[in-house]
Amino acid sequence: MSSNKMRNLAFTLLVGAATQVVAAPAPVTELNGSSAKGDNLERLERMIEARNQVQIDMQRQLDQLASEMDELRGIVERNSYDLSQMLERQRELYREVDALSRQPQKEVKETPKTEATTSETYTSNVSENETYEKAVNLILKEKDYSGAVEAFKGFLATYPESVYKPNAHYWLGQLYFTQNQLAEASEQFKAVASFADSNKRADAMLKLGVIAERSKKPEEAKKYYQEVITAYPDSTSSRQAERNLKQLGK
């Protein structure tokens, strides 16, 4: 209710009250006395004060409702913003997976003569699984790359014989590679390449060729590229190695 409507209501009540006061019979003893007028005036003032208090209380309630509406509107806006941020983080997660993992599951089918001897891709050790997953999530979800480096190094120290060992070296290599720490990346990718049955081996060797090329070692780069082409024909890594060889002027 607007303040104008409330003032009109108060005025109506006041007029009605005043009419009742005027119409009410005065005591016989005070009919012509000044005390009757004084009492009527006092009663009228009390009624006006009461009506004013009602108006004040109603206005306070309206203000409270308006405040609650603003608060609800703010909550809705925050929820909408949080939802948009969540969707954006999800899109970034997909981009990170594409950039860092390079779809490793495809490499299993592309690796020749090693499928029968490929090692496990999981372990029954719950603690080992959780530790590895936390390290991966530091990259894909939290984007804490420096924290992920320490997490994977700690994982390798704690579980030196883990089935995730090649993967842990691969993630470390990717982290160092994206930060242009080529010497550290090379060390990790060489560790991955030492596992003949790793589904990350082809991409690790490709990365070693790229690192050699960036380090101004074209002959070493050609060697790695050629090895990828020979060992993993028709693979994504092999096709990229062929393109890189052509650019080196083979």
Side-chain angles (χ1 to χ4, degrees), residues 125 127-129 131-132 154-163 165:
N125 187 321
S127 177
E128 182 179 345
N129 278 323
T131 304
Y132 178 78
F155 175 84
L156 289 170
T158 305
Y159 304 100
E161 302 302 323
S162 172
V163 295
K165 185 175 181 178

Side-chain angles (χ1 to χ4, degrees), residues 78-135:
R78 286 196 300 273
N79 287 342
S80 298
Y81 176 77
D82 291 342
L83 178 60
S84 65
Q85 289 295 101
M86 182 184 69
L87 293 174
E88 179 59 26
R89 286 194 296 271
Q90 189 69 26
R91 286 191 289 268
E92 290 178 356
L93 171 60
Y94 291 146
R95 288 194 290 267
E96 290 291 339
V97 171
D98 181 66
L100 293 175
S101 68
R102 299 296 185 90
Q103 300 177 342
Q105 62 272 25
K106 292 184 178 181
E107 297 297 335
V108 175
K109 296 181 179 180
E110 296 165 353
T111 304
K113 300 180 182 181
T114 59
E115 293 183 357
T117 59
T118 298
S119 62
E120 294 181 59
T121 57
Y122 65 92
T123 177
S124 59
N125 187 321
V126 176
S127 177
E128 182 179 345
N129 278 323
E130 290 179 349
T131 304
Y132 178 78
E133 184 178 358
K134 287 179 180 179

Side-chain angles (χ1 to χ4, degrees), residues 104-108 111 118 121 166-167 192 195-203:
Q105 62 272 25
K106 292 184 178 181
E107 297 297 335
V108 175
T111 304
T118 298
T121 57
N167 290 12
V192 178
F195 293 89
D197 57 349
S198 172
N199 57 11
K200 303 286 197 306
R201 187 171 185 268
D203 190 61

